[in-house]
Structures are given as C-alpha cells and as structure tokens.
Amino acid sequence: MNVGKVSRSFGGVGRNLADCLSRLGKTPLFLSVMGTDEHSESISRYCRHMDMTGVRQLAGHSTATYCAVITGSGELSLDLGDMDIHQQITEQHVSKFKESLCSAPLVCVDGNVPTATIQYVCQIAKEHQIAVCYEPTDENKASKPFLSDSWRALTYISPNLRELRAINRSLGCPVPAELPARLEDIVRTAMTLTRPLLTQLRCVVVTLGAHGVLLCSRRTEGSISVGPATHQQIAAGELCATHYPAIPISREEIVNVSGAGDSLMAGIIAGLLAGHDTDICVRMGLLSAYLSLRSHEPISQEISTASVNLEQVKARSWPEVKMWKMI
Ligand SMILES: Nc1ncnc2c1ncn2[C@@H]1O[C@H](COP(=O)(O)OP(=O)(O)O)[C@@H](O)[C@H]1O
Ligand SMILES: [Mg+2]
C-alpha cells in the first residue's frame, strides 16, 4: 500500500466556467449529464448556487470522475479518467435547450463535449449570430471544432501554447517541435500560431501560466476589442498582441492550479457581458485566476461580484502591459 492524503474536488471545465460565472453574478445555464450515483448527489449539493436544470441524470452511467496521483513535490505521477458519460451530451440533449441557446449573449463550450454536439452548437450559433467561446480543455481535445468548418463559428478561444500548437497541427499549419520558455520567444510563437485563427475568430486568449495572458485580436478604435463589433470593424482593424502579466503570487500561496484558466476566462466573460473595456475584462480575469490559485477549490469561494469588479480592478496597481503589431 502507498500511504497518502486523499482529497476530492469538483470540475470539469464547463462546470468551473458556470460556477465562476454564477459567483460573478451571471446566470449561466449549465448543460451536461451525470449519473445517479453518490458523486452526482455531492455535485448537486456543491453546485447549489448554479442553475443545474440543464444537467440530465442518467441511470446506468457513472458520473465523470478523474483521479490523479500527485507526488510530494506536486508532480503528476499517475492519472485515471472515467469520462464515458460525456458521450451522452448529445445534440438531442442540447437541442432541448435550443430556445435558451438562441437567446444567450454568449455560449461557452468545453472540449469534453462530443465533436458532433460541438458542430451542432456552432451551427446554431452561426444561424443566430451568437458569440461562442471554446475552452480547449487539453491538448487532445483542443482540435475538436477544427476537425470540420465548425471553428469558423467561434468568436473566442482560450488555449494555452500546447493546445494552440495542437490546433495549428490539425489545420495543417507548420508547428514548432519545442515550445519556448522565454517570454519574448513565447510571444513570437503565440503570434505565429494565432494568425491562422484570426482570419475567423474575434480574439484568441493565450493563457501563459505564470507569464499571464496574451490577447491576440484586431485593433479597433485604439484598443484591442473583445466586445461585440461589426464585420466591417473586424476586417478593418490591424492584428495586435497584448501581453498582460499575471498578478504576482508566491509558490507558497499557490494551493491548487486547476481551475485557474477557467477562472481567468469566466472573469473576462463577466467583464464582456457587463460591457467593460478590454483592460478591465482581462484584469477581472486575472483577479479571478489569482483568487482561485490561492484556493483548494478549482473556483475560489472568495470570487464574487464584491471581490471581482470594476472598482476592485481600479483599486489595484497592475504590471505594465505591452502591445505588439502582428506582422
Ligand atoms: N504560477 C503562476 N503564477 C501566477 N499566475 C498564474 C500561475 N499559474 C497560473 N496563473 C494565472 O492563471 C491564469 C491561467 O492559468 P494557465 O495555467 O495559463 O491556464 P490553463 O490551465 O488553462 O493552461 C494565467 O493567465 C495566470 O493569470
Ligand atoms: Mg485552459
């Protein structure tokens, strides 16, 4: 027997996004499936602050679980996922909520959703001109919308560098074998890898871990815009990359890195939905990510409309932002 500490937390990406957006005062409708097992009861209790009416319970299926063995120094040594139930997030299930989808200001999709369902959501989004954000989830799932023309319906995507490389590979674009470590090199690589996406997407949010985040987008009226814009405005703006350093945090303060990327995106989205400008949106994201890094939960319970808002962003001093033209 190996002796160790065992703890449980609740994911995954889609749930994290809905959790964080709910804490930030939004009312996301979370569409998913779970079993009728004990896990599902715990999840329902844990998610009382969220609208779970779009989560279907299926007898005879196990709620998705993921088990990771982490060494004393925090490295992953073994992991095991039982995620078969994700195949039940079908077009048929999602289509029951078509009216809600069509009236949503934004739809977020994670990489655990089956490719056919992602295609269905993208098709609806295209027909009804709804903004879609794709959270690639991991390197193997990142390419799902890119296996067909679906990706052209995406508005935002939030990959890290590895996921961005996987997406470029599936588009048939050249990719580097090694990913850089120095910030200047990371920015250059990210700019090259986001370029093919920016022919269609509004904004690529490249998450850079301790380095923060790089926003790649077209510049309209002086600042990078992530908010709604007309097609003419999008076509007219020049391509720019803007780097926002992360909020400094010591190793000792970081309790759990999972959920940081989801908190970042939820913070940005909450800012977008409130109509804030780009800098404020990104900083609401960085602040949410910072709070979640300090928490055992993937989404910090400290995240709220009181801790993440325009005033809180303005009350902090922020590291310098740098912008590059993408040539
Ligand atoms: N070691 C760290 N130090 C400071 N901030 C961090 C660190 N790791 C993550 N973050 C913050 O969390 C955000 C998302 O984390 P990241 O690891 O880039 O996302 P993902 O898990 O999706 O790859 C980053 O943009 C940054 O703001
Ligand atoms: Mg991510």
Side-chain angles (χ1 to χ4, degrees):
M1 184 183 76
N2 298 301
V3 175
K5 290 256 176 288
V6 178
S7 73
R8 180 180 66 170
S9 66
F10 300 94
V13 172
R15 197 215 62 85
N16 289 347
L17 286 170
D19 183 342
C20 196
L21 284 165
S22 302
R23 293 185 188 282
L24 291 172
K26 306 298 163 195
T27 51
L29 175 65
F30 176 43
L31 303 185
S32 190
V33 291
M34 56 187 186
T36 49
D37 42 19
E38 278 184 346
H39 289 306
S40 67
E41 285 168 32
S42 314
I43 292 172
S44 300
R45 263 198 310 278
Y46 187 75
C47 299
R48 272 202 200 113
H49 61 295
M50 299 164 50
D51 181 350
M52 298 286 277
T53 52
V55 181
R56 192 174 161 208
Q57 277 200 285
L58 297 169
H61 292 266
S62 311
T63 300
T65 51
Y66 171 80
C67 180
V69 180
I70 313 283
T71 65
S73 54
E75 306 290 318
L76 178 72
S77 78
L78 180 76
D79 63 345
L80 177 75
D82 175 355
M83 309 214 173
D84 287 351
I85 196 170
H86 288 150
Q87 293 316 308
Q88 307 306 316
I89 308 175
T90 56
E91 171 178 337
Q92 196 208 4
H93 172 57
V94 173
S95 66
K96 290 195 188 114
F97 302 89
K98 191 173 173 193
E99 248 177 65
S100 300
L101 278 182
C102 292
S103 58
L106 178 80
V107 176
C108 298
V109 189
D110 81 11
N112 294 314
V113 174
T115 305
T117 312
I118 295 177
Q119 286 174 0
Y120 169 73
V121 172
C122 287
Q123 184 58 39
I124 291 193
K126 203 168 115 190
E127 281 166 19
H128 297 267
Q129 291 170 16
I130 304 156
V132 186
C133 175
Y134 184 64
E135 200 337 290
T137 305
D138 72 35
E139 216 175 329
N140 298 316
K141 295 167 182 168
S143 294
K144 281 184 179 180
F146 297 84
L147 302 175
S148 68
D149 267 350
S150 287
W151 70 276
R152 295 172 187 275
L154 302 180
T155 318
Y156 310 106
I157 190 164
S158 52
N160 59 29
L161 217 49
R162 281 187 309 281
E163 292 158 353
L164 192 52
R165 178 172 64 176
I167 289 167
N168 272 257
R169 206 179 273 134
S170 66
L171 287 175
C173 300
V175 296
E178 302 263 331
L179 289 173
R182 276 181 42 220
L183 181 60
E184 296 96 287
D185 302 330
I186 291 173
V187 169
R188 199 166 337 111
T189 303
M191 287 202 279
T192 307
L193 296 177
T194 52
R195 206 162 225 303
L197 306 193
L198 289 170
T199 58
Q200 307 295 327
L201 273 76
R202 188 113 175 64
C203 181
V204 181
V205 179
V206 189
T207 58
L208 303 176
H211 284 304
V213 61
L214 187 77
L215 238 67
C216 298
S217 170
R218 284 186 195 274
R219 190 150 84 150
T220 41
E221 290 159 19
S223 76
I224 278 195
S225 76
V226 281
T230 64
H231 276 291
Q232 282 93 331
Q233 277 177 320
I234 293 171
E238 55 188 355
L239 289 178
C240 284
T242 314
H243 175 241
Y244 295 82
I247 297 176
I249 179 168
S250 68
R251 249 170 214 276
E252 297 73 49
E253 279 177 289
I254 299 180
V255 177
N256 173 14
V257 294
S258 98
D262 305 331
S263 301
L264 174 81
M265 261 334 272
I268 293 177
I269 290 167
L272 278 177
L273 296 177
H276 294 311
D277 71 27
T278 312
D279 284 358
I280 303 292
C281 293
V282 175
R283 286 166 176 167
M284 284 173 67
L286 292 170
L287 191 51
S288 304
Y290 171 76
L291 291 171
S292 287
L293 286 171
R294 297 165 53 105
S295 152
H296 286 283
E297 320 277 348
I299 305 301
S300 169
Q301 302 199 359
E302 279 181 43
I303 293 176
S304 71
T305 52
S307 61
V308 180
N309 59 33
L310 182 65
E311 289 70 37
Q312 292 296 332
V313 165
K314 288 194 165 161
R316 295 184 82 93
S317 65
W318 292 88
E320 190 196 351
V321 171
K322 282 208 185 96
M323 191 186 277
W324 295 265
K325 269 192 209 173
M326 289 171 65
I327 36 167

